[in-house]
Amino acid sequence: MKRIDELPRTLKPWSDGSGELMAPAVVRVGIVGAGPMGRLHARTVSRIAALDGTCALASVVDRHAGRAEEVAAEFDTQAFTDLDEAISEIDAIIVCGPTSTHHALTSWLLKKGLDVLVEKPLAATVAEAKQLASLASSCERILQVGHVEWYNHGWREAVRLAGVPETIEVERLNPESDRGLDMDVVQDLMLHDLDWVARYLDDTVVEVKARGRRVKHSGIDEAETELFFRSGCHVRLRVSRVFPDCRRTVRVSGSQGSVVADLLTRRVEGAPESSGSGPDPLQAQWRDFLVSIRDRKTPDADAVVGVAALELVERVRESIEGRGP
C-alpha cells in the first residue's frame, strides 16, 4: 500500500455514461444509521434542501425498520432496511453507524461508485482508515470525514484574534450518555481538537504526554494531553464523557494576546453581539461536501485528514498506556 502522503487526491468527474461530463443538479442524499446522529444529519440535509434546493434527502437506511421509518417520516422521505435497494436512488451517502462498521460499509459504498461522508472517526484503526483512503483514491470518489469542529466559528475566531499561537488550551467535557461507547474518549472527543491544532498549526508534533482513566466504562472516560510542536507552541487538551455538565472552551494565547471562545455558542468572550456566531458547523460541513460533489474538489476534511487524526489518537493512547517514546 502507498504511504498516506503519497495518495493522489484526484476525483472522478460525473458522467451520464455517454462520456459527457455533468454534475447532478440536485444531489440525492442517503443516510445510513437512524440513531441520534443520523437524525441530526437528516435535519441538516432537509434544511439545506429547503434553503437552496442543492440536495434532497432521498432515503434513510437502518436495519431496524421502525427506527428508519420514524426518521424517514419526520423528514418526509423513504425508509429502507436494505442498503443495496436504497443506493439505486442516491448520488451520495453518509455513514452514521457504529465505528466498527465504518470500514466495511464505506468500502462497499465506494466500490458502488458513491461519494461518501463518514461520521468521525473515519475508521476504528489507522490501518483501516488508510485502506479507505487508498480505496477512495483508486475509485476516484470523494471520501469526507465528519470532523465537524473544523467548521466551528468560535475556534476560527480565537486563533485569528490571538495571532501567532504560543499556547492553546481546550476543554471538551460532556455529561454521561449512551452514545459513542464503542470507542474511548480520546477517539470520540479529543480527536476533534487533535485534528484542529495539527491542521491549523501545520507543524510537527515532537512530543506527546498524556494520561487518562476509566471511570464507568471499559474504555478511557477522561484524558489530558500535552502536545509539543516544533515551532514551540504548547497545546493542552482535556476531555471527559462523565463530567457533570457540558463545557467546551478554547483559550489561545499568541502574539496578539489571549482569547477565549465558547465552542458551544461559537462566540469569543467579550466580542460584541454583532460579531455573530458564524454558520452552523454541521450545515457548513454538509455544504463543503455538496460543493465537493458538484465541483469534484477535495473537501476540507478528506480521508488523508481522517488518517492523520487517527495517527495522533494512537500516539495519545500510547502515551497513556506507557508505550510511547
Side-chain angles (χ1 to χ4, degrees):
M1 181 185 297
K2 294 181 180 179
R3 286 185 16 235
I4 196 65
D5 57 0
E6 294 175 339
L7 292 174
R9 284 166 158 174
T10 55
L11 300 169
K12 186 176 182 180
W14 285 91
S15 172
D16 63 359
S18 66
E20 182 179 350
L21 301 184
M22 58 183 295
V26 178
V27 178
R28 301 169 300 170
V29 173
I31 293 177
V32 181
M37 286 308 302
R39 188 184 297 272
L40 277 176
H41 285 287
R43 180 177 296 116
T44 301
V45 171
S46 296
R47 284 176 177 170
I48 295 174
L51 284 169
D52 59 24
T54 56
C55 63
L57 181 58
S59 60
V60 175
V61 186
D62 197 291
R63 62 179 181 174
H64 300 287
R67 198 156 59 187
E69 289 165 1
E70 180 182 347
V71 175
E74 182 178 350
F75 299 103
D76 192 25
T77 190
Q78 301 179 86
F80 293 89
T81 55
D82 185 342
L83 183 56
D84 201 18
E85 183 181 353
I87 64 169
S88 63
E89 298 183 18
I90 61 176
D91 305 304
I93 196 162
I94 178 165
V95 175
C96 300
T99 302
S100 59
T101 68
H102 286 190
H103 179 263
L105 262 179
T106 304
S107 297
W108 186 82
L109 291 163
L110 289 170
K111 290 174 183 177
K112 291 290 185 179
L114 292 171
D115 294 319
V116 184
L117 172 58
V118 185
E119 255 304 332
K120 60 85 190 162
L122 178 56
T125 67
V126 171
E128 287 184 350
K130 286 183 175 181
Q131 288 171 5
L132 290 178
S134 181
L135 180 60
S137 176
S138 63
C139 292
E140 297 180 298
R141 289 290 97 195
I142 291 168
L143 177 56
Q144 181 172 333
V145 61
H147 290 187
V148 68
E149 284 296 288
W150 181 250
Y151 305 90
N152 191 310
H153 178 75
W155 247 120
R156 291 172 180 263
E157 279 295 279
V159 295
R160 182 183 70 83
L161 294 171
V164 179
E166 298 164 0
T167 63
I168 300 175
E169 299 175 68
V170 186
E171 285 191 324
R172 188 174 295 275
L173 312 174
N174 278 5
E176 188 175 4
S177 76
D178 58 0
R179 61 158 297 279
L181 297 181
D182 59 333
M183 51 188 157
D184 63 28
V185 75
V186 178
Q187 193 176 59
D188 184 24
L189 297 183
M190 189 177 285
L191 176 145
H192 284 299
D193 304 309
L194 292 169
D195 169 56
W196 228 108
V197 297
R199 277 203 276 169
Y200 178 74
L201 295 173
D202 191 23
D203 191 16
T204 303
V205 179
V206 295
E207 186 178 8
V208 176
K209 293 182 179 179
R211 61 182 182 176
R213 67 188 187 119
R214 295 167 177 82
V215 180
K216 294 187 176 182
H217 308 103
S218 59
I220 298 166
D221 292 316
E222 296 183 326
E224 296 180 13
T225 296
E226 291 183 276
L227 304 174
F228 300 87
F229 287 82
R230 181 167 292 166
S231 63
C233 186
H234 181 200
V235 175
R236 299 185 186 92
L237 307 177
R238 179 189 174 201
V239 292
S240 174
R241 60 182 179 187
V242 289
F243 200 70
D245 54 33
C246 191
R247 184 185 305 171
R248 296 181 186 176
T249 59
V250 56
R251 179 187 297 273
V252 184
S253 297
S255 57
Q256 300 300 314
S258 184
V259 180
V260 178
D262 185 327
L263 298 179
L264 291 172
T265 63
R266 310 193 300 277
R267 291 183 180 275
V268 170
E269 285 188 8
E273 286 292 317
S274 59
S275 65
S277 59
D280 172 71
L282 195 60
Q283 191 170 125
Q285 174 182 277
W286 266 100
R287 290 196 180 280
D288 185 19
F289 186 47
L290 293 169
V291 169
S292 297
I293 292 169
R294 183 193 67 199
D295 296 347
R296 308 316 294 165
K297 76 173 188 69
T298 302
D300 278 355
D302 68 349
V304 174
V305 167
V307 170
L310 282 171
E311 287 176 332
L312 273 177
V313 165
E314 188 57 30
R315 288 182 68 178
V316 171
R317 286 172 168 168
E318 288 174 353
S319 179
I320 290 173
E321 296 166 7
R323 296 185 286 120

